[in-house]
Amino acid sequence: MKIKLNTVLLFAVLLIFTNCENDNHNPNLPHDSSFYIDYRSLNGLPDGIAVIELDPEAPNFGHISSRLELGVGVLPHHLYYNQNANKLFTTALGGSYLYEVKTGEDKNGQPKLLGATPIDTGENTVGENLFFTNDGRYFMTFMGGAGGPRDGSIGVFNASNNQLIKTIKAPIQANPNKFIMYPHGISINEEKGLMMVTSTIHPDLTTGMGNTCTLLDLNTYELKETYQVADSPTDMSAPVEVLLLRGKFPQYALATTMLGGDIWIAPYNASTKKYDAFTKVFDGSTQGLGWTLEMYIDDTNKLYVSFADPGKVLVFDLSYLPQLKLLKTFNADKGAHHMAFFKTKSGKEVVAVQNNLLNIPNLNSGTINVIDINTGKTLGTVDLRARYGILPESIEGTNGPSNYMHH
């Protein structure tokens, strides 16, 4: 049984959506509970980035201390640090599609947003996810590609100067068995020299959507295989994020399907040096869950997955792969999406959940919940819609990545 979606809502889904291992997060810095958020304005004002305090124990909980306006309709989308966590970037659905963000500190040592430099993305439009590699490159998915009806591309950039090195394109028209179309999610296993991207939905909301993930060689950019991540060829599940587990983790690929509402898994095959076929490992519809979005791993090797409908975060134990053992379910608000992990002043381990999916009706609470990961209790909620007239689009730490592994 698949999730029933109103047709209008189905196509109201543009570009969801959200890299790196975090060995740079420093809990001793004074702004460990301050976070950067991308936001969209609800009042016709410029969209931008803000600094917000998220410790419910702080007297200024929910206070925005710094803002940087990027422009009306820019729709900043995902915040990322580079490999060394000394540069901050945001992708965008409009505007220049990619910006390097300059930050500093105020007189109290708190983070301050100073400016943003647009980066030339060439013909590539509608910026989505980034992934920085150790060899001085970074990769970016563009759901719009050059603007065609079944388009999409991956940009390869020089991390030292932000110059576009190459645009990877592989139209489905040229090869229906190996292609890149509407790419959103991206993950890389550098040790194996592999990159995978998802196929989600066309930016105009009506032209088409995907149901695949495509594997590429990280160095030659050759397409190795396109996998179905859906119940059938006609099931437009819209895979949104992919995670190639790496390092100490068992070597599997995980993918979330936005419209399928599920989690899929594929094992790495050392003989073929590819992944085997994807199979469904978690069916959201059996638990009344839909709109599966982000995957994060915390520093205890637990996998956190957000479900925008009705607003939940499920915590899985990775020790049992290829099975996912469900440990906990946290209640969030509708539109549960990106996450950030930190400790409160008193030492409580919490996850901040950003609740908004592109201002889609019933998935756009516009809040951030701060949840105790041991008790599951919501310790505090910031209502950005009511308080500031903005909706949060993504969240990231102000002193380094706020997770161990994202994509």
Side-chain angles (χ1 to χ4, degrees):
M1 174 180 145
K2 303 306 293 181
I3 301 166
K4 303 299 182 183
L5 293 171
N6 177 281
T7 302
V8 174
L9 184 58
L10 176 71
F11 287 112
V13 183
L14 171 69
L15 324 161
I16 312 299
F17 5 103
T18 77
N19 175 50
C20 50
E21 280 131 351
N22 170 23
D23 295 321
N24 305 292
H25 193 57
N26 185 351
N28 298 316
L29 291 181
H31 49 83
D32 192 52
S33 60
S34 292
F35 290 83
Y36 296 120
I37 57 169
D38 278 332
Y39 68 85
R40 70 169 63 205
S41 173
L42 294 175
N43 303 314
L45 299 174
D47 305 323
I49 309 169
V51 176
I52 188 169
E53 172 60 54
L54 289 181
D55 186 348
E57 299 169 4
N60 58 339
F61 174 56
H63 174 68
I64 288 179
S65 57
S66 178
R67 282 208 208 195
L68 175 65
E69 294 182 343
L70 294 179
V72 175
V74 170
L75 295 175
H77 201 49
H78 285 293
L79 289 157
Y80 292 92
Y81 282 100
N82 67 345
Q83 193 70 11
N84 298 320
N86 59 8
K87 293 181 181 179
L88 181 68
F89 295 79
T90 187
T91 66
L93 305 183
S96 293
Y97 306 116
L98 178 61
Y99 300 82
E100 183 176 341
V101 182
K102 184 178 181 181
T103 65
E105 293 184 349
D106 64 19
K107 61 182 180 181
N108 298 315
Q110 294 303 302
K112 186 175 182 180
L113 292 155
L114 302 176
T117 302
I119 295 170
D120 185 0
T121 62
E123 68 177 5
N124 305 298
T125 65
V126 188
E128 284 293 346
N129 287 5
L130 292 177
F131 197 109
F132 289 83
T133 54
N134 289 306
D135 59 6
R137 293 177 291 173
Y138 64 88
F139 297 78
M140 181 173 177
T141 51
F142 294 91
M143 285 187 74
R150 293 196 289 177
D151 215 326
S153 55
I154 304 168
V156 187
F157 293 82
N158 183 323
S160 64
N161 59 17
N162 292 330
Q163 294 297 305
L164 179 64
I165 301 169
K166 182 177 178 60
T167 295
I168 306 171
K169 296 189 290 186
I172 190 173
Q173 300 93 317
N175 187 342
N177 297 313
K178 292 182 181 179
F179 59 88
I180 297 168
M181 185 174 68
Y182 319 142
H184 175 277
I186 182 171
S187 190
I188 290 174
N189 187 322
E190 291 185 75
E191 180 183 352
K192 292 181 166 49
L194 296 174
M195 167 172 53
M196 190 177 287
V197 297
T198 63
S199 178
T200 309
I201 192 170
H202 188 280
D204 72 3
L205 312 178
T206 58
T207 295
M209 63 188 68
N211 63 1
T212 60
C213 286
T214 293
L215 184 69
L216 297 90
D217 186 293
L218 181 60
N219 298 306
T220 66
Y221 310 135
E222 172 192 3
L223 273 67
K224 299 175 76 70
E225 187 158 348
T226 294
Y227 302 85
Q228 178 179 295
V229 187
D231 291 333
S232 72
T234 58
D235 172 26
M236 295 295 104
S237 59
V240 59
E241 299 295 355
V242 62
L243 172 60
L244 301 185
L245 291 172
R246 47 199 182 266
K248 64 182 179 181
F249 294 100
Q251 304 296 283
Y252 290 91
L254 295 170
T256 55
T257 56
M258 184 177 71
L259 301 184
D262 307 315
I263 306 172
W264 293 69
I265 191 169
Y268 177 72
N269 187 319
S271 298
T272 63
K273 297 184 178 179
K274 299 190 296 185
Y275 292 86
D276 291 337
F278 275 88
T279 56
K280 189 185 299 184
V281 69
F282 181 83
D283 187 337
S285 67
T286 63
Q287 299 199 30
L289 301 171
W291 300 79
T292 322
L293 298 180
E294 298 288 335
M295 293 177 284
Y296 292 82
I297 296 174
D298 70 5
D299 60 3
T300 65
N301 305 333
K302 302 298 188 295
L303 176 71
Y304 290 66
V305 183
S306 57
F307 292 79
D309 184 17
K312 303 277 186 180
V313 173
L314 272 59
V315 185
F316 298 93
D317 190 338
L318 291 173
S319 304
Y320 298 88
L321 290 174
Q323 299 302 313
L324 286 177
K325 181 180 179 180
L326 179 61
L327 298 177
K328 300 177 181 179
T329 298
F330 298 148
N331 293 321
D333 293 334
K334 284 183 175 293
H337 200 170
H338 299 94
M339 289 172 255
F341 299 85
F342 68 103
K343 290 183 179 180
T344 67
K345 187 176 181 180
S346 67
K348 293 177 181 176
E349 296 178 314
V350 296
V351 58
V353 184
Q354 167 256 330
N355 305 299
N356 172 52
L357 187 59
L358 298 168
N359 202 19
I360 296 171
N362 297 315
L363 301 176
N364 58 348
S365 296
T367 60
I368 298 175
N369 305 128
V370 182
I371 301 169
D372 187 315
I373 64 175
N374 292 308
T375 67
K377 180 182 178 181
T378 299
L379 303 180
T381 295
V382 182
D383 189 338
L384 290 131
R385 174 191 291 276
R387 188 165 174 178
Y388 297 107
I390 62 175
L391 296 181
E393 293 289 321
S394 65
I395 184 172
E396 184 54 284
T398 53
N399 60 346
S402 55
N403 55 83
Y404 174 69
M405 187 183 290
H406 186 189
H407 307 310

